[in-house]
Amino acid sequence: MFSRMLLAVSAALTLAVSTLAFAHDYKAGDIAIGHPWTRATPPNAPVGGAYMTLDNQGSAEDRLLGGSTPIAEDVQIHEMGMADGVMTMRELPDGLTVPGGEAVELEPGGYHIMLVGLKEPLKEEDRVPLTLRFEKAGEVEVELAVEAMGARSGTGDGAHDVHQGAANGDAGMVDRNAMGDASAR
């Protein structure tokens, strides 16, 4: 009797841990959204960046058009890259194409979501609501995990980069070795 009860408790705990491990993935139509995250910001930062993977599991392309969040005045889609040895960042007013059967990474130094006009600083370990709007898949609410300032990925492993970029809302420099060629994206 006791061993059956122990087995049931063990199974329940395993299920709970498994559910938590996958709780940070979302779906909108054919688009699977993997681990949305952002970085903590300094107290007066006007902007923050949001990152995630958009995996189009369908055959038709879709487009991330924008979104909304209660913590910022505007949500924009941006691309960072290098042009003639100079770091550039530009808004993609027509959104970001997610080709059918392909994944697009939104990451520091590349494509990202810009949270413009932050109403308060983003604090490490907080969760931030964000509604994404896709052309075909429609709207989906996700939660951004707030990682440490300077984090290079949303792994929650405490990885830091001493160079913080404009997408993090500060005046620092971006690690150009981590940039890659944005024009190849």
Side-chain angles (χ1 to χ4, degrees):
M1 173 82 168
F2 179 73
S3 62
R4 262 192 261 169
M5 208 160 92
L6 187 58
L7 182 60
V9 168
S10 176
L13 285 173
T14 300
L15 180 61
V17 169
S18 297
T19 302
L20 287 175
F22 296 107
H24 206 60
D25 292 328
Y26 303 88
K27 185 104 166 137
D30 288 332
I31 308 291
I33 301 156
H35 192 67
W37 67 283
T38 186
R39 296 173 172 151
T41 58
N44 295 316
V47 296
Y51 316 100
M52 63 198 70
T53 301
L54 303 176
D55 184 7
N56 188 342
Q57 299 172 343
S59 58
E61 80 174 27
D62 203 340
R63 181 177 298 273
L64 175 63
L65 299 173
S68 62
T69 179
I71 59 110
E73 294 171 11
D74 196 15
V75 173
Q76 302 173 356
I77 312 303
H78 282 225
E79 176 183 32
M80 290 182 80
M82 294 293 287
D84 298 320
V86 176
M87 175 70 61
T88 63
M89 182 170 58
R90 68 183 180 101
E91 181 178 5
L92 301 175
D94 297 326
L96 176 64
T97 299
V98 186
E102 295 184 30
V104 176
E105 292 288 331
L106 280 67
E107 58 191 355
Y111 296 119
H112 60 277
I113 295 170
M114 201 71 155
L115 308 173
V116 180
L118 288 177
K119 297 175 182 176
E120 59 187 64
L122 303 175
K123 296 181 180 105
E124 188 173 351
E125 298 185 14
D126 278 357
R127 298 285 179 152
V128 175
L130 173 66
T131 300
L132 299 173
R133 187 171 29 88
F134 292 90
E135 185 174 65
K136 295 178 183 162
E139 290 189 351
V140 61
E141 291 184 27
V142 302
E143 220 175 42
L144 300 172
V146 183
E147 303 291 342
M149 259 188 237
R152 296 296 304 160
S153 69
T155 60
D157 64 2
H160 289 79
D161 184 337
V162 295
H163 302 289
Q164 298 170 29
N168 192 29
D170 63 27
M173 305 260 311
V174 171
D175 180 355
R176 292 184 178 163
N177 293 326
M179 282 293 300
D181 181 7
S183 64
R185 296 174 199 245

